[in-house]
Amino acid sequence: MKRKSGLKGKRSLALSLVYRLLEPGPVVLLTTSGPRGPNVMAMSWHMMVDFEPPVVACVVSNRDYTFGLLKRSGECVINIPTVELARQVVGCGNISGRKVDKFSRFGLTHIPASSVGAPLIKECYANLECRVEDFSMASKYNIFILRVMRAWIDREMVNPRTIHHMGMGKFMVSGRTIRLASRKK
Amino acid sequence: MKRKSGLKGKRSLALSLVYRLLEPGPVVLLTTSGPRGPNVMAMSWHMMVDFEPPVVACVVSNRDYTFGLLKRSGECVINIPTVELARQVVGCGNISGRKVDKFSRFGLTHIPASSVGAPLIKECYANLECRVEDFSMASKYNIFILRVMRAWIDREMVNPRTIHHMGMGKFMVSGRTIRLASRKK
C-alpha cells in the first residue's frame, strides 16, 4: 500500500529510453540502504555503458559512506533532481551519511522501490532502480557497473531543468534544446 | 613550427581543473590516429574517475572504427565542441571514419598535439591529450581508462555553450550558471 501511494504521480519509463536521461550529464542523487536506514549522496561521475538493458558505470569514492553500503547491498537508485533541489543536492554533497540522516536534514522523502532495497527520492523527477552487476573495478578505480532494473519518471514533469556540476558550488542549469537530423540513437 | 602555430590561441590548462570541463556531461569529439591518418568520432559516454592526475573513463563501441585505433595506438584527444559545431558533431556521429575523412568532410582542422600522436581539433574550445591507462575493461564493456597528460583551452572563449546529447538528434545547450556555497571540489 505504502509502495503504491509512494509511486503515485510517477510512471514506468521504458528501459530503452534511460540513456536519454543520463547522457546529458546531470548531477544525480545516489541512494542506498544499510543497517542504519537509507542514505543519499550527490554524484556527477557516471556514464552510460550500454543501451538495453541499460548499463551505467559510476564512481563512488571509497572514502564515502555509500561505498560500503553499495558494496554490501549491491543495490542503489539513481535519482535525478532538477534545479529546484539544488540547495539540497549541495547539502547532500557536503556532509556524510555517517553523521546525519540526510533525508530528514534536507527534507527529502524516501519511498520504497519496486525491485531493489534502496529507496527512491520522491522529489526527484526520475528514478532508476539499479543492481551492481560488476564490482571488479571497485577496488582499483572505485568504479561500479550498474544494471538499471526499473525506471520511473514523473507524469507531470515537462522540460526538467537538470543541474550540471562545474566545480566548487558552480552548476550549469540545462538550457534550450535544439534538434538536428541524426540517424543515431 | 607547425605545432606552435596550431596551438596559437590556446593556453595550457592546469590538470587539476580538467574535471570542471567533463563533469557537466558535454558531447565530445574523440580523435585518434592510425595508418590512414587522423580520425574523429562523437562521444557522450564518458566520466571522470579521478581528479589529479585526471583519469577519465569512456565507452567506445567495438563496432566503431575508433575502437581499433584506440586499442592499437593507446592515445587519443578529447576535444570539447560548442553549439556552433553542432552540425559537424552530428555529422561525425553519423558516418564512419572507415568510409570518409571526416576532417575534410566537415571542415574540421587537425593540429598536432604536444604529448600524444592523436591530433587536436582546432575548432574545439578545449582539448585533453590522453593516454590509455587500462585496456582491461575494453573487451567486456568497451570501457577505456584514460589519463589526461596535457590540457588546452581557448584563450578567448568566455562562457562556452556546450551541447549535451538527449538522443535522436536532440541536444540540450548549456544554460545559465548558478553558484551555491559548497565545501566540495
Side-chain angles (χ1 to χ4, degrees):
Chain A
M1 278 303 119
K2 200 186 169 195
R3 175 167 302 182
K4 265 201 168 157
S5 68
L7 289 171
K8 198 176 59 178
K10 294 188 184 285
R11 66 176 171 80
S12 181
L13 179 74
L15 293 181
S16 60
L17 301 179
V18 162
Y19 76 100
R20 300 184 184 183
L21 302 176
L22 292 184
E23 280 193 28
V27 177
V28 301
L29 293 171
L30 191 72
T31 47
T32 43
S33 192
R36 285 164 46 200
N39 187 46
V40 52
M41 67 171 274
M43 179 173 83
S44 278
W45 293 9
H46 57 78
M47 68 174 177
M48 292 300 300
V49 174
D50 208 349
F51 284 109
E52 194 176 10
V55 177
V56 179
C58 70
V59 175
V60 176
S61 167
N62 54 20
R63 292 186 305 275
D64 290 331
Y65 183 46
T66 295
F67 185 90
L69 299 180
L70 190 54
K71 255 194 130 173
R72 277 189 290 275
S73 69
E75 295 180 343
C76 62
V77 177
I78 296 172
N79 304 272
I80 311 182
T82 50
V83 66
E84 292 77 13
L85 296 173
R87 192 184 51 81
Q88 289 94 319
V89 169
V90 172
C92 286
N94 275 271
I95 196 161
S96 172
R98 286 185 197 94
K99 295 180 189 167
V100 296
D101 173 353
K102 295 196 248 187
F103 290 94
S104 69
R105 166 79 68 104
F106 299 111
L108 297 170
T109 313
H110 52 88
I111 53 179
S114 68
S115 65
V116 297
L120 274 57
I121 299 178
K122 191 184 172 89
E123 289 80 8
C124 288
Y125 89 97
N127 316 82
L128 312 175
E129 303 183 8
C130 301
R131 291 216 179 116
V132 180
E133 179 162 300
D134 194 328
F135 293 93
S136 64
M137 290 155 264
S139 51
K140 186 166 183 188
Y141 291 110
N142 293 329
I143 294 176
F144 292 83
I145 303 288
L146 313 175
R147 176 187 289 236
V148 182
M149 312 300 294
R150 196 80 198 265
W152 301 96
I153 195 157
D154 279 8
R155 289 180 191 281
E156 307 291 327
M157 178 59 75
V158 182
N159 196 10
R161 290 281 169 227
T162 50
I163 57 174
H164 302 252
H165 191 234
M166 304 179 78
M168 308 291 283
K170 185 177 173 189
F171 295 85
M172 177 271 281
V173 183
S174 64
R176 69 192 165 96
T177 53
I178 56 174
R179 281 181 187 276
L180 290 103
S182 175
R183 286 182 288 114
K184 275 278 177 122
K185 270 207 270 197
Chain B
M1 280 300 120
K2 200 186 168 197
R3 175 168 303 182
K4 268 202 167 159
S5 68
L7 288 170
K8 198 176 60 179
K10 295 187 183 285
R11 66 175 171 82
S12 182
L13 179 74
L15 292 182
S16 60
L17 301 179
V18 163
Y19 77 99
R20 299 185 185 184
L21 301 176
L22 292 184
E23 280 194 27
V27 177
V28 301
L29 292 172
L30 191 72
T31 47
T32 43
S33 191
R36 285 165 47 200
N39 187 46
V40 51
M41 66 171 273
M43 180 172 83
S44 277
W45 292 9
H46 57 78
M47 69 175 176
M48 291 300 299
V49 174
D50 209 349
F51 285 108
E52 193 176 11
V55 177
V56 179
C58 71
V59 175
V60 175
S61 167
N62 54 19
R63 292 185 305 274
D64 289 331
Y65 182 47
T66 295
F67 185 89
L69 300 181
L70 189 54
K71 256 196 130 171
R72 278 189 290 275
S73 69
E75 296 180 343
C76 61
V77 177
I78 295 172
N79 304 272
I80 311 183
T82 50
V83 66
E84 292 78 12
L85 295 174
R87 192 184 51 81
Q88 288 92 322
V89 169
V90 172
C92 286
N94 275 271
I95 196 161
S96 171
R98 286 185 197 96
K99 293 182 190 166
V100 296
D101 172 353
K102 295 196 249 188
F103 290 93
S104 70
R105 167 78 69 105
F106 298 112
L108 297 169
T109 313
H110 52 88
I111 54 180
S114 69
S115 66
V116 297
L120 274 57
I121 298 178
K122 191 185 173 89
E123 289 79 8
C124 288
Y125 89 96
N127 316 83
L128 313 175
E129 303 183 8
C130 301
R131 290 216 180 116
V132 180
E133 180 163 299
D134 194 328
F135 292 93
S136 65
M137 290 155 264
S139 51
K140 186 167 182 189
Y141 291 110
N142 292 329
I143 294 176
F144 293 82
I145 303 289
L146 313 175
R147 176 187 287 237
V148 182
M149 312 300 295
R150 196 83 199 265
W152 301 96
I153 194 157
D154 279 8
R155 289 181 191 281
E156 307 290 326
M157 178 59 76
V158 181
N159 195 12
R161 290 281 169 226
T162 50
I163 57 174
H164 302 252
H165 192 234
M166 304 180 77
M168 308 292 282
K170 185 178 173 187
F171 294 85
M172 177 271 281
V173 183
S174 64
R176 69 193 165 96
T177 55
I178 57 174
R179 280 180 188 278
L180 290 103
S182 175
R183 287 182 287 113
K184 276 279 177 122
K185 269 208 270 196

